[in-house]
Amino acid sequence: MRRNTDTGSSGGETVGPSNGFDAWKALQKATDKKRADIIADIVGHPKGAPSVEELTYMNPRLSDDAIRRHLKTLTDVGVVQLLEFEPGARTGGFPYQFFKLSAEARALFDQNGLFPEEAWTRQWQSVEKTPRIRDIEAMPRPSRSDE
């Protein structure tokens, strides 16, 4: 397989190396089976930004620590972005960090027919949730300060 360094664009956003997003590296990291499962759950989440607790629930074979390691890898290559409530806006006993796909990753995945939102939304909805997970799922999500 040959590395494609073309800087294709979607919606006016460059998805190649010229803006710091390396599509090749992103695809390499995203196609690991466990990380692909995590990405699929992010895409399928009703708010597009699950917490580690929700991701662990959806991936019971992975520990919180393993989920966090995979999220760090995906964040490091620009596939995932961290959304975090400020300390004063946090609700005790509930998550304050959530993870969503970056715009560059969504454009890259769309260009390559990966992680179709409709399919993964149906998958997420088909899983029976505990009351705790339903409560977390319904929580508002913080927005990024750079949006």
Side-chain angles (χ1 to χ4, degrees), residues 29-87:
K29 299 300 181 184
T31 54
D32 167 88
K33 169 72 172 117
K34 291 174 184 169
R35 286 191 287 268
D37 288 345
I38 291 168
I39 292 168
D41 290 333
I42 292 171
V43 169
H45 189 274
K47 298 193 179 195
S51 65
V52 169
E53 188 172 345
E54 290 168 290
L55 291 169
T56 302
Y57 184 82
M58 297 296 283
N59 297 277
R61 295 185 199 153
L62 296 176
S63 67
D64 284 3
D65 288 340
I67 296 280
R68 288 181 197 284
R69 281 192 307 273
H70 288 301
L71 287 168
K72 178 168 180 2
T73 297
L74 293 169
T75 301
D76 289 348
V77 297
V79 170
V80 171
Q81 296 175 324
L82 170 66
L83 303 177
E84 188 171 26
F85 282 115
E86 295 296 323

Side-chain angles (χ1 to χ4, degrees), residues 51 53-58 60 94 124-138:
S51 65
E53 188 172 345
E54 290 168 290
L55 291 169
T56 302
Y57 184 82
M58 297 296 283
F94 282 93
W124 181 278
Q125 291 170 343
S126 73
V127 174
E128 188 172 331
K129 318 283 185 324
T130 64
R132 165 94 178 156
I133 295 300
R134 284 194 306 270
D135 287 346
I136 295 170
E137 185 180 85

Side-chain angles (χ1 to χ4, degrees), residues 10 15 21-24 26-27 103-114:
S10 174
V15 294
F21 182 77
D22 185 333
W24 177 255
L27 286 171
E104 295 86 359
R106 182 71 271 167
L108 175 66
F109 296 155
D110 287 350
Q111 286 174 349
N112 291 284
L114 300 172

